[in-house]
Each structure stands twice: as structure tokens, then as C-alpha cells.
Amino acid sequence: MFGYRVPAPDEAMLISGGRRGLGGAPFRVVTGHGKFVLPVFRKVRFLTLSMCEAEVTETCVTKQGISLHVRAVIAFKVGNDQESIINAGQRFLSDQEQMSVLTGRIFAGHLRAIIGSMTVEEIVTERQKLAAEVLDTSKVEMAKIGLIVDSLQIQSIDDGDTGYIAAMSAPHKAAIQRQAQIAQAQATQASVEAEQAAARKQAEYARQTAIVKAEYSAEVDRAQAQAAQAGPLAQAHAQQEVLAAQTELAQKQAELRQQQLVAEVVKPAQAEAERVRILAAAEAQRMKIQAEAAASYDRVALDRMLIDQLPQIVKEAAGGLAGANVNVLNGADGLGEIAAGLVSQGLTILDSVRQNLNGGQDGKADTDKGLLQLHSGNKGGTSDDGPVNVD
């Protein structure tokens, strides 16, 4: 729109020609927004608010009187507040490049002053302390011209041909070299130890490999030996199996022959012996039965004969008493006893004969005894002349 002006984000718009700005400034400050400006009655200028850089290269004398060439870089800008913009606008609006020149000069002066109060060792070892002191001493002066410093970096410190810094660093270099040599020696020792360890591992690996190869070779030899013995062993096992089979066959044949002999010889012989025994037993039983039958028949016949002869035997016994002098003491009872004795003797003779038929000589002796008793005399009889004797 005609007459409407807007500053860039890193700029401050300064409007002059109208009423005064803040604090009696000859212009008004506009940042961050636009504003209508009368083309003829107002004049607009822009002041940069972006970051600027100033480089300082200065020869400074230290507290020890040693000259040092110091190179530093300052990063600065115009402050964002209206007071800083007004101060910077009044000083640098027509020539804004002068901000870097003036800033470098200001910092060069402060840098010479601070380095003059420090030793080389402090400057070299405490660069950050040097930068902080330079910033602190220049802050108030920079604020007066509307500038603020963001950072100060000491880039290099050189003593030229004096060799002070080199001499100062010699012990450190020696220590560093010594440490480097020690580190190198340790590295060499570690390398040697690593090589020795690697050699030991290789030797161990070679030993294990040789052992494994030997074991494999021994295993192969055993396998080959077993393979070489497998044929004869198999043949021997086969022969053993054949002999065992033949032995078993011979045993079975012997058992079969034994069974055949038993079936053909022993069993028929046993059967024949059993038959002969049975026949002999049957024959003996038959003869026994016949003998018993014959003996029974003879006994029956003898008994009949004896029974038939018993009266005669009694008669003969009684006849022996005919000429005897017999005294009968108890009358009729005594005679009865005599008769009963005769009959009893006859029966005794009959039993003796039967036993003689059954018992042989003993029976014959009993029979003779009975006959002797029959002729010996009279039981219980007496006479005037003495006992009665029968001839």
C-alpha cells in the first residue's frame, strides 16, 4: 500500500521528520510491524540488527615483557531494546560498517590492557579467562554505543622468534614424548605379547591339529585293521557256526538213534521181558492154583481116609488097654475121661497128618509125636503095681 513501510525481521525502521521518539530521540523506532509513512514529510532509514563480526590482530606485551601476537574474533550486534537501537542509530546509521571497525579497536585496547597484566603461562593456559575478562571490561563501553557482544574467541597466540612458548612447552613435549615412548614401548610390548600369544595359540592349534590327525590316523588304522580282520573273523565265525550246527545235528542224530534203539531194541526187549514175566507169573499162578487144588483134593481125600480110619485108630489105642491093670478112681467120670483122651489123641494124629501135608518134615515130626503119645499110655490112670504103660 502506498506509504506503508515494514522493516525486515533483522532490521529496525527509523522514521524521522515527525514528532520525536523515545527519550527525545530525533526519530521513532519501529520493529516487528509496519507503519504508514508520509512520503514527503517523513523519512525512513533502516538499521541492521543482524550478527556482525570484527577481527582483532594485535601485538601485546605481557607482564613479563614478552611480545605476543594475538588474534581474536568478536561476534556482536545491535541490542534489541529501543535504547540500544537509538544509540547505535545515532552513531552508525550513515555508515554501518564502522560498527566492526570501532568494535575491533575497542577490543584491541582492552586486550592489550588485560594481556599486560598476565604472564605468558596464564595467557596460554587460561585463554577462556582472558576472553572473559576482555568481555567484562568492554561490556559497559559497548553498551554506550548500542552494541552487545555475543562471544569473543582467542584464535591464536604467537611469540614470534623469542621461542618462549616453545621453551615453555619443552617439558611438556618431553613428558609427552616420554609418555609417547612409554606408550610406544607398551604398545610394542603388547604387540610382542600379542605375537607371542598368537604364536602360542598357533602352536597349540598345531598341536591339537596334530593330535586330532594322529587320532584320526589311529582310528583309520584301527578301522583298516578291523576291516582286514573282518574277513577271517567272519569266516571263523561262519566255521564256528557250521561246527556248532554240525555238533547240534550230530547230537540230534545221536538222540534220534538212541530213540530208534529204544524203540527198536529196548522197548521190544522190555515188552518181551514183560510178556515173559507176565506169562511166567501166569504160569506160576496156574501151577499154584493147580497145586492148591491138588493139595486141597489130597487133604480132602486124606481127611476122609483119616476119618474113615479114626475108629480103627481109637480101637487100636483102646486095644492097648486090654491087658492093662487100670484103676479108675472116679468111677464113670474116670472112664469117660479115658475115652475122651483116646478120641483126643486120634484127632491130634489127624491134625498132625494134615500139617505134615502142609509143612513137610515138621508136620511129619508132629505126626510121629502124636502117634507116640497115643501108644505111650493112659492119662490120669494108675494101678496097684504103678503107672499104666501101653506097648
Side-chain angles (χ1 to χ4, degrees):
M1 183 179 293
F2 180 77
Y4 190 79
R5 306 295 294 274
V6 179
D10 58 348
E11 289 180 338
M13 187 172 63
L14 305 180
I15 304 172
S16 61
R19 60 184 179 179
R20 292 182 176 273
L22 180 66
F27 49 79
R28 287 181 296 170
V29 178
V30 178
T31 57
H33 59 87
K35 195 170 185 63
F36 285 101
V37 179
L38 295 176
V40 179
F41 302 100
R42 301 289 187 270
K43 189 176 181 178
V44 176
R45 301 289 295 274
F46 294 94
L47 178 67
T48 181
L49 300 179
S50 62
M51 183 65 64
C52 298
E53 181 179 294
E55 184 173 341
V56 177
T57 302
E58 192 71 21
T59 300
C60 305
V61 179
T62 66
K63 183 179 180 180
Q64 300 159 318
I66 298 172
S67 297
L68 298 177
H69 301 285
V70 181
R71 182 175 178 272
V73 176
I74 304 101
F76 67 95
K77 66 181 291 293
V78 177
N80 295 326
D81 59 288
Q82 287 195 7
E83 184 179 357
S84 297
I85 294 173
I86 291 170
N87 290 335
Q90 288 177 344
R91 289 170 176 82
F92 306 110
L93 186 59
S94 58
D95 188 6
Q96 298 185 25
E97 296 296 332
Q98 288 298 317
M99 286 190 295
S100 298
V101 176
L102 182 58
T103 300
R105 290 175 181 176
I106 293 172
F107 272 87
H110 289 291
L111 192 61
R112 283 194 303 270
I114 293 173
I115 288 177
S117 63
M118 297 176 66
T119 63
V120 178
E121 288 79 6
E122 293 175 346
I123 294 169
V124 172
T125 58
E126 299 179 0
R127 290 190 180 186
Q128 190 64 34
K129 178 181 178 182
L130 174 61
E133 289 184 1
V134 172
L135 285 175
D136 288 339
T137 56
S138 62
K139 184 181 296 183
V140 176
E141 190 172 355
M142 292 291 289
K144 289 180 180 180
I145 61 177
L147 302 178
I148 57 175
V149 180
D150 287 340
S151 67
L152 170 64
Q153 296 292 331
I154 307 297
Q155 291 187 339
S156 65
I157 298 174
D158 186 11
D159 61 352
D161 296 332
T162 59
Y164 187 90
I165 296 177
M168 184 179 64
S169 63
H172 300 286
K173 288 182 179 179
I176 291 172
Q177 290 177 356
R178 184 172 60 254
Q179 292 177 357
Q181 291 175 356
I182 293 173
Q184 182 64 35
Q186 291 177 350
T188 303
Q189 182 180 359
S191 177
V192 172
E193 291 178 354
E195 291 178 357
Q196 292 177 354
R200 286 195 298 269
K201 288 182 179 179
Q202 290 178 356
E204 181 66 19
Y205 179 76
R207 186 182 70 83
Q208 292 180 356
T209 303
I211 292 173
V212 172
K213 286 183 178 179
E215 291 178 353
Y216 286 164
S217 179
E219 187 175 355
V220 170
D221 293 339
R222 286 195 300 271
Q224 290 178 352
Q226 291 178 357
Q229 294 175 358
L233 288 175
Q235 185 176 2
H237 287 308
Q239 290 179 356
Q240 289 180 358
E241 291 179 356
V242 170
L243 291 175
Q246 290 178 352
T247 302
E248 186 178 359
L249 179 61
Q251 291 178 355
K252 289 184 178 180
Q253 289 178 351
E255 292 177 357
L256 179 61
R257 181 59 183 167
Q258 183 178 3
Q259 293 177 359
Q260 290 179 351
L261 290 175
V262 170
E264 294 177 357
V265 178
V266 177
K267 291 295 183 181
Q270 290 179 353
E272 182 64 21
E274 185 67 18
R275 186 183 67 80
V276 171
R277 186 184 64 78
I278 293 173
L279 291 178
E283 182 65 21
Q285 186 67 23
R286 184 182 65 81
M287 294 180 65
K288 180 179 179 182
I289 292 173
Q290 289 180 354
E292 290 178 354
S296 178
Y297 178 77
D298 291 339
R299 284 196 302 270
V300 172
L302 181 59
D303 290 342
R304 290 184 62 185
M305 182 183 70
L306 290 175
I307 292 172
D308 291 340
Q309 295 296 325
L310 183 59
Q312 185 64 31
I313 293 171
V314 174
K315 182 179 178 180
E316 291 293 333
L321 299 175
N325 186 13
V326 177
N327 293 324
V328 179
L329 298 178
N330 51 356
D333 293 330
L335 290 175
E337 289 178 359
I338 293 173
L342 293 175
V343 174
S344 176
Q345 290 179 358
L347 292 175
T348 302
I349 294 170
L350 180 59
D351 290 334
S352 298
V353 172
R354 291 177 177 175
Q355 291 177 1
N356 188 26
L357 292 176
N358 294 327
Q361 296 296 328
D362 295 335
K364 184 176 182 299
D366 293 337
T367 303
D368 294 338
K369 183 178 180 181
L371 292 175
L372 181 60
Q373 290 177 356
L374 182 61
H375 292 282
S376 63
N378 184 3
K379 179 183 177 182
T382 59
S383 63
D384 297 335
D385 298 330
V388 177
N389 292 322
V390 178
D391 295 329

